[in-house]
Amino acid sequence: MNAPEGPLATLLALEARARRARDVAELAFVAVNETHDLLPYRQAALWRPSGLVAVSGVARPEPRAPFTEWIERLMRARVAAGPTTLDGATLGDSDWAEWLPRHALLLPFASGAAVLFAREEAFSSSEIALAEALADVWGHALVSLEARSRPRFRLPRRPALIALLLAAAGFLPVPLTVLVPASVVARGATVMRAPLDGVVERVHVQPNDAVASGQPLFDLDPTELAARLAVAEKAAASAEAERHQTSQ
């Protein structure tokens, strides 16, 4: 029997990753980052009624950031409509163009959560069908992980047995852990600098784009550079006049 190829193979691999996820954070990372192999997009976000869980390309979304608050309002207002495509140009939302590309695909889960993909091109019917199948798997995996994280221990109703258990618990070693803020950095990171100071006029790349060596990333506003050039040319002309006068 031949192994599946193309989008079907990618779908099965993503489903397997979802079933192997150890917690909600790992499942959310797979959903918003690795789904790009199946469904090309520029931005993705996973939301639960309790708040935004993950955003593509970001280690942890900032809870009170303007983008976080805006997309939470969008997801909360649209999730009840079921799987749907959104067109930022026709929704009448003045903030859409600031945060997302024109076309978006919203896929709710059975647990009340939802995932959103956004890009410049509209989503085809085949892409939507693949995404819906994958979202169904994510929904079941999310419910399973949430149930696994809930405490299941129940104390017995007998007071004597409760006292005995509490006394025994006092002799058990208690591991201590400390939570500290951390950041994820690239291995072998490269700092990119412009040779001149100035204001960025145009950016040539989008988030999550792959770039090559020598590829232009942005343009600087030429106004300040042109003013510096004009001053330098006048200074050069003045120096040339002084040299000529001195030589006479």
Side-chain angles (χ1 to χ4, degrees):
M1 182 176 179
N2 296 329
E5 299 179 356
L8 179 58
T10 306
L11 175 64
L12 294 176
L14 290 172
E15 289 181 351
R17 286 294 308 274
R19 294 188 181 94
R20 292 198 303 266
R22 293 167 293 182
D23 50 33
V24 174
E26 183 177 347
L27 177 65
F29 178 86
V30 173
V32 301
N33 290 289
E34 298 189 7
T35 312
H36 194 276
D37 296 336
L38 176 69
L39 186 74
Y41 55 84
R42 183 153 69 90
Q43 288 176 269
L46 179 64
W47 172 85
R48 288 195 294 177
S50 58
L52 192 62
V53 180
V55 179
S56 58
V58 178
R60 180 187 302 172
E62 190 66 29
R64 308 312 305 172
F67 171 77
T68 302
E69 295 181 347
W70 177 83
I71 202 162
E72 284 183 353
R73 290 195 301 269
L74 173 70
M75 302 283 263
R76 191 172 291 109
R78 301 282 176 175
V79 70
T84 181
T85 55
L86 304 174
D87 188 338
T90 58
L91 282 178
D93 190 334
S94 58
D95 296 328
W96 182 286
E98 181 180 356
W99 302 118
L100 292 176
R102 174 172 178 174
H103 296 281
L105 175 61
L106 178 63
L107 300 170
F109 300 164
S111 61
V115 64
L116 181 137
F117 301 104
R119 69 185 188 190
E120 286 76 10
E121 303 82 15
F123 293 89
S124 66
S125 57
S126 59
E127 289 177 325
I128 295 174
L130 289 172
E132 288 180 347
L134 190 56
D136 186 61
V137 175
W138 287 336
H140 287 285
L142 186 60
V143 170
S144 175
L145 291 171
E146 289 175 341
R148 192 185 307 171
S149 63
R150 298 191 189 102
R152 297 182 178 181
F153 178 76
R154 295 182 179 179
L155 289 174
R157 297 181 179 180
R158 298 178 181 178
L161 186 56
I162 294 177
L164 180 62
L165 291 175
L166 292 176
F171 295 95
L172 296 176
V174 179
L176 299 178
T177 60
V178 179
L179 297 177
V180 296
S183 58
V184 179
V185 296
R187 189 176 187 180
T190 301
V191 179
M192 294 180 292
R193 298 187 180 93
L196 299 172
D197 295 333
V199 178
V200 175
E201 181 182 46
R202 180 183 177 189
V203 179
H204 295 285
V205 295
Q206 299 292 343
N208 299 321
D209 280 354
V211 297
S213 176
Q215 176 182 345
L217 303 180
F218 56 85
D219 293 336
L220 295 179
D221 185 358
T223 304
E224 183 178 354
L225 298 178
R228 292 184 186 179
L229 177 61
V231 172
E233 289 176 344
K234 290 182 179 180
S238 177
E240 177 63 23
E242 291 180 1
R243 185 198 67 79
H244 182 70
Q245 183 178 0
T246 303
S247 65
Q248 293 296 326

